[in-house]
Amino acid sequence: MNVKEAATLLSYVVATMPNIQDKDLSATAKAWAIIMPDISFELGQQAVLKILRDKKIPTVPLPGEIINTVKEIVNGENKINAPSDYEAWQEVRSKIDFYKPNQKWSHPAIEETIKIIGSRNICGGDYNVADRFMKVYNRIVKRTNDQYENKVTLQIIDNTPKNKSLLTFIGEHKQIVLGQKAV
């Protein structure tokens, strides 16, 4: 999302909340663009509209609210998020067959876990194969999530104005963060 797209999303917020219609939210649009560079305008629009439909108190949505709503939308539509370790293990137990190596799994983390442990070890495994599967699976999911968060953090840093650090930028716009009026 860029600044223009963030400003468009903020226009929806301003139109529905009379208490902020006289406020200058250009710094908020810049902050949203810096904090959420990985969110497309379309997903951001869906998230903001969903938040506005559910919002009971007229406040500007925080980036975390938008990000969480985007995750809910993506998970609901595309089932991108990894299943829990127990759900993954149940899928493996019901579908794994040593004689059918090219099995289709609901998430790449399940397939990677099976490659690491080995389908032969899972099919003929002893009593603790479920525990081993879940430990390896959880490490793979955590590593994938960490890599994604690191990529987003690098995008945020890249979108910060070149002549300022991120902390300097936030300090200049602290009235937004702290709810103070600019002096």
Side-chain angles (χ1 to χ4, degrees), residues 146-157:
D146 288 347
Q147 287 171 347
Y148 174 77
E149 292 298 327
N150 290 340
K151 182 179 172 187
V152 171
T153 302
L154 288 174
Q155 284 180 323
I156 290 170
I157 291 169

Side-chain angles (χ1 to χ4, degrees), residues 9 12-13 16-17 42-56 61 65-74 76-77:
L9 296 179
Y12 301 153
V13 175
T16 60
M17 298 181 187
E42 292 76 22
L43 277 174
Q45 183 179 31
Q46 290 176 28
V48 167
L49 293 175
K50 183 176 183 332
I51 290 169
L52 291 175
R53 288 176 58 110
D54 298 338
K55 206 152 196 52
K56 308 256 187 297
E65 290 178 272
I66 296 169
I67 292 167
N68 288 337
T69 305
V70 164
K71 287 179 183 177
E72 289 173 12
I73 291 168
V74 169
E77 290 178 0

Side-chain angles (χ1 to χ4, degrees), residues 128-142:
N128 69 347
V129 72
D131 291 337
R132 285 179 40 213
F133 176 88
M134 289 185 209
K135 284 179 185 175
V136 171
Y137 176 79
N138 285 331
R139 276 188 244 141
I140 290 169
V141 169
K142 182 179 179 337

